Amino acid sequence: MSHNTSAGGSGSRNTTRTFEFGRTHVVRPKGKHQTTIVWLHGLGDKGSSWSQLLETLSLPNIKWICPTAPTRPVAIFGGGFPCTAWFDVGDISEDAPDDLEGLDASATHVANLLSTEPADIKLGVGGFSMGAATALYSATCHILGQYGNGNLYPVNLSAVVGLSGWLPCSRTLRSQVERSEEAARRAASLPILLCHGSGDDVVAHKHGEKSAQALSSAGFRNLTFRSYNGLGHYTIPEEMDEVCNWLTTRLGLDGSWS
C-alpha cells in the first residue's frame, strides 16, 4: 500500500521528523578503558538516573554513555502526554506496529555515540524496558548491516544487554537474517543477555520470553535469558551482579584498575 500525498498537498508526510535528544551523561572508567557501552533508559526516564547506578558497579574497565531520549507524545498515553521515549509505542506486544522512523533515529544516535570511540575498544549497547527494546533493535541493525531505512549501520557491537524489554520488528527478523550468510554468521556470534522479572506488570514476562525465542529462531545462538522470580518492572542488585559477571566474561575484561 503506497501513501501518495495528493497533488498540491503539503507533502508533510514525506518529510522526516527531527528528534531532539536530551542530555548525555558519561561514566568514565575507573581503570584501564577496554569497553564502551551505551545504556538506554526506559520510557519517561533520563540518562542521569542510570549513570548514577552504573557508577556504583564494580566494572572499572567500562565507560558508560547514558543518553536521554527525545521528548515526544507517545501513543500508549493517548498521544497527548509528551515524555522521553526512544520511539513511539501504542502497545507493548509482538503484534504492535513498529515505529521504524523513531527506532532508526534512536539506533543512529546510539551508533553515533559509539563511532568516535578508539579502534581497540569493544563496543556494546544495553538498556531497560523501552531502552532494552532499542538496544535489541540496534543489535538487529548490526547483524543486518543496515538500519530499517536501508542506511549502513556503522559500528561493530560486541555485547548487548536487555533488562525487562522486548524485541521490535520480531516478525520479519528471521527471514531477513536468512537472506544473508554474513548476517547469519554475525547473529550466531553476538553475545546477548536478556533478563526479565516474572512479576513485571509493565512489560509482561511473556513478551521478554517471546523476544528471546524470536532471536533464537533467527539464529542468535549466543543468547542468555534469565528470569527473576517475583521481580517487577525494576532492577535489583542480584540482576546487576549478573550483568557485571556476564559482561566481564563475554568481553574478557581484566577487572584491573591500572
Side-chain angles (χ1 to χ4, degrees):
M1 255 175 27
S2 66
H3 294 282
N4 292 324
T5 42
S6 59
S10 69
S12 63
R13 238 183 294 186
N14 297 340
T15 59
T16 310
R17 286 177 296 167
T18 53
F19 300 101
E20 285 289 321
F21 290 87
R23 257 191 84 183
T24 298
H25 300 263
V26 176
V27 179
R28 307 247 162 235
K30 297 178 179 77
K32 180 174 174 259
H33 183 197
Q34 292 178 298
T35 297
T36 298
I37 297 176
V38 171
W39 189 272
L40 305 169
H41 62 74
L43 182 63
D45 202 358
K46 53 189 190 295
S48 57
S49 52
W50 277 95
S51 66
Q52 287 162 11
L53 172 66
L54 296 168
E55 196 143 17
T56 66
L57 302 181
S58 53
L59 289 169
N61 312 115
I62 296 182
K63 172 184 171 183
W64 300 95
I65 302 176
C66 303
T68 300
T71 298
R72 67 176 86 196
V74 179
I76 208 165
F77 299 128
F81 177 68
C83 69
T84 52
W86 299 109
F87 52 93
D88 193 14
V89 62
D91 172 34
I92 296 169
S93 79
E94 290 68 38
D95 306 317
D98 291 297
D99 171 22
L100 266 180
E101 197 187 353
L103 283 161
D104 277 347
S106 289
T108 301
H109 189 63
V110 170
N112 288 345
L113 289 169
L114 290 170
S115 62
T116 53
E117 291 299 293
D120 59 338
I121 299 297
K122 288 180 177 172
L123 307 175
V125 59
F128 175 78
S129 192
M130 179 183 252
T134 308
L136 289 175
Y137 182 73
S138 299
T140 62
C141 293
H142 158 60
I143 295 307
L144 301 169
Q146 60 182 38
Y147 299 99
N149 61 19
N151 292 346
L152 288 183
Y153 188 77
V155 294
N156 182 32
L157 298 176
S158 296
V160 179
V161 177
L163 310 182
S164 314
W166 72 96
L167 172 68
C169 309
S170 60
R171 294 184 294 283
T172 52
L173 182 59
R174 187 173 172 175
S175 62
Q176 286 178 294
V177 173
E178 284 170 351
R179 264 181 244 143
S180 152
E181 270 178 48
E182 174 71 0
R185 192 179 60 72
R186 285 183 186 164
S189 64
L190 178 66
I192 300 183
L193 172 66
L194 300 179
C195 300
H196 217 108
S198 69
D200 196 325
D201 55 355
V202 178
V203 181
H205 182 271
K206 68 174 182 194
H207 295 313
E209 213 167 22
K210 280 183 182 168
S211 296
Q213 287 161 359
L215 288 163
S216 293
S217 76
F220 286 77
R221 299 210 175 88
N222 199 346
L223 175 79
T224 305
F225 183 75
R226 284 292 314 268
S227 293
Y228 288 83
N229 199 23
L231 179 65
H233 197 64
Y234 49 87
T235 184
I236 49 172
E238 184 194 349
E239 185 181 45
M240 294 315 290
D241 286 349
E242 174 96 15
V243 171
C244 291
N245 294 337
W246 185 86
L247 286 170
T248 300
T249 307
R250 288 297 185 287
L251 295 171
L253 303 178
D254 57 23
S256 77
W257 299 82
S258 57

